[in-house]
Amino acid sequence: LAAAIEEELCGFVSRAETMVRISGDNVHELDALEIDLSGGRLITLPKPSKPSLSGSEAAFSAGQFAVRAQPISIYDAPVCFRLNAAAAEFRQAPQRDGKLLLVLHRAEAGELRMEAARADVERLIARAAAKFAQKQGATIEEVHLEISQPQPRSLELKIVISGRKMFFRATLNLSGTVTLDGELVARISNLRCT
């Protein structure tokens, strides 16, 4: 199990040390599953697609589940991430490509924390935007990010991206709300682009 998870992680994270550690004698009821991405570098982001959860079935449980990155480099921006969950239950679902998708189905208790400096997040957004702008012959000149937290588990984001193509300059204003529910599902709403 550890080798299979490690192999999939290596498809998009580069790290010299082993990333996955499992403890416990029963593969269906693990004592702990730990994933450490610290010091790693995100080498590619998988193309987002809606995974198929039909036909999912129980995979295993872990008394303790932890994912940490203290930090991980994403487009050369250091991002710290930590997820801890107790009594975690995982499900698996077959995907169109023949692989199994492993999903954290529920946990008795947990904590999710993500930290990054504003300048690093702006740099991350600029590099990601530049990748797309380059395909159109445009360049990104500046990114400004504003973040507010109107409620617990909710962030309001405002992003201003300035760029140019040849002699023309343009500014893109993006805004939206990200809300994390009790099931750790992030929902994006109120998206606006002007």
Side-chain angles (χ1 to χ4, degrees):
L1 179 62
I5 296 171
E6 182 93 23
E7 182 179 330
E8 287 302 312
L9 286 172
C10 286
F12 60 94
V13 175
S14 172
R15 182 175 188 256
E17 297 86 14
T18 300
M19 293 182 271
V20 180
R21 289 187 179 77
I22 291 178
S23 62
D25 297 328
N26 184 341
V27 72
H28 297 290
E29 295 177 7
L30 303 173
D31 292 337
L33 168 59
E34 298 176 359
I35 300 173
D36 188 356
L37 307 173
S38 299
R41 185 175 54 88
L42 187 70
I43 50 179
T44 183
L45 284 173
K47 288 188 178 180
S49 63
K50 185 172 183 179
S52 171
L53 298 178
S54 63
S56 73
E57 60 186 21
F60 62 88
S61 64
Q64 295 295 318
F65 173 55
V67 180
R68 69 181 158 274
Q70 301 293 331
I72 185 169
S73 177
I74 302 175
Y75 289 113
D76 296 325
V79 176
C80 292
F81 177 88
R82 187 174 66 234
L83 168 68
N84 292 308
E89 295 178 15
F90 293 85
R91 295 188 67 81
Q92 60 187 15
Q95 300 302 293
R96 291 183 193 98
D97 62 4
K99 294 181 179 181
L100 286 175
L101 175 67
L102 190 61
V103 178
L104 174 59
H105 179 62
R106 76 177 66 151
E108 194 173 282
E111 176 188 39
L112 173 66
R113 184 176 202 82
M114 189 174 218
E115 299 174 11
R118 180 185 315 259
D120 290 330
V121 175
E122 289 174 341
R123 190 170 36 257
L124 187 152
I125 293 167
R127 290 195 178 165
K131 203 172 184 183
F132 293 106
Q134 183 180 18
K135 293 177 183 176
Q136 304 301 319
T139 58
I140 301 300
E141 295 181 327
E142 184 178 30
V143 172
H144 179 70
L145 171 67
E146 290 181 31
I147 302 173
S148 61
Q149 186 177 12
Q151 305 170 9
R153 296 186 181 203
S154 180
L155 294 176
E156 286 185 358
L157 305 171
K158 293 179 183 174
I159 304 167
V160 178
I161 301 173
S162 301
R164 66 179 167 82
K165 182 172 181 176
M166 296 173 48
F167 303 109
F168 302 100
R169 294 187 186 282
T171 300
L172 185 63
N173 294 289
L174 304 164
S175 63
T177 304
V178 180
T179 305
L180 190 66
D181 68 18
E183 308 251 326
L184 297 182
V185 174
R187 304 241 188 259
I188 300 173
S189 59
N190 304 324
L191 286 176
R192 294 195 333 195
C193 178
T194 58

